[in-house]
Amino acid sequence: MTKVTLYIAASLDGYIARSDGGIDWLSILHTEGEDYGYTDFYESIDAIVLGSKTYEVGLGFDEWPYPEKKSFVFTQRPLQSDREDVTFVSDTVKSALANIEAQGYENIWLVGGGALINSFLQHSLIDEYIISTIPIILGGGIQLFPPPSPEEELELISSKQYSTGLLQAHYRRKQKVEKIHNS
């Protein structure tokens, strides 16, 4: 069974990037020798799903940020890549996820962005959430959960506070239980 985990950082006011897609504000957390659990998480996943704008942000880095992992980029635009580990997907999230699962991928990292996260939320396809709250108020930008987002009950698995002020919370989606009414 495939497990989808949203692993993402957000500002205290709920933004994952500036309006222009900029993530320079994340640099306030760079501390020698601290990766906030990223390496362990990265080693636990088989594949990555991300939106095309998030993909383009990744292309701007000195090195491809998702080495040795298959990346599925959701887009309606005619994008191309020379990378063999990148596949462009235009299917619905449910169809695409079924196809990814059929290829044998079990632990999927939902990287972002906001619109793709919302699509996964609309279909209750996110199993776990690892949200790192960054101690900064951006005042605007790309929202982590842009409206309209469906209601989703979560249960806390763990949380950890770091000396930089980052607070990381790990949640699991509560399973919906059918209620039986006696007449």
Side-chain angles (χ1 to χ4, degrees), residues 102-170:
Q103 294 178 52
Y105 298 105
E106 295 180 355
N107 293 302
I108 311 298
W109 174 15
L110 173 55
V111 176
L116 185 60
I117 292 167
N118 198 331
S119 293
F120 272 73
L121 264 175
Q122 295 293 333
H123 298 286
S124 292
L125 295 174
I126 304 173
D127 301 294
E128 294 187 9
Y129 300 73
I130 302 174
I131 312 289
S132 294
T133 303
I134 312 305
I136 188 171
I137 295 172
L138 293 178
I142 299 170
Q143 293 178 311
L144 173 57
F145 300 114
S149 293
E151 184 175 311
E152 187 80 82
E153 279 191 64
L154 308 175
E155 60 183 328
L156 182 66
I157 296 172
S158 65
S159 65
K160 185 170 182 180
Q161 178 181 338
Y162 292 86
S163 62
T164 57
L166 180 144
L167 180 61
Q168 190 173 78
H170 187 172

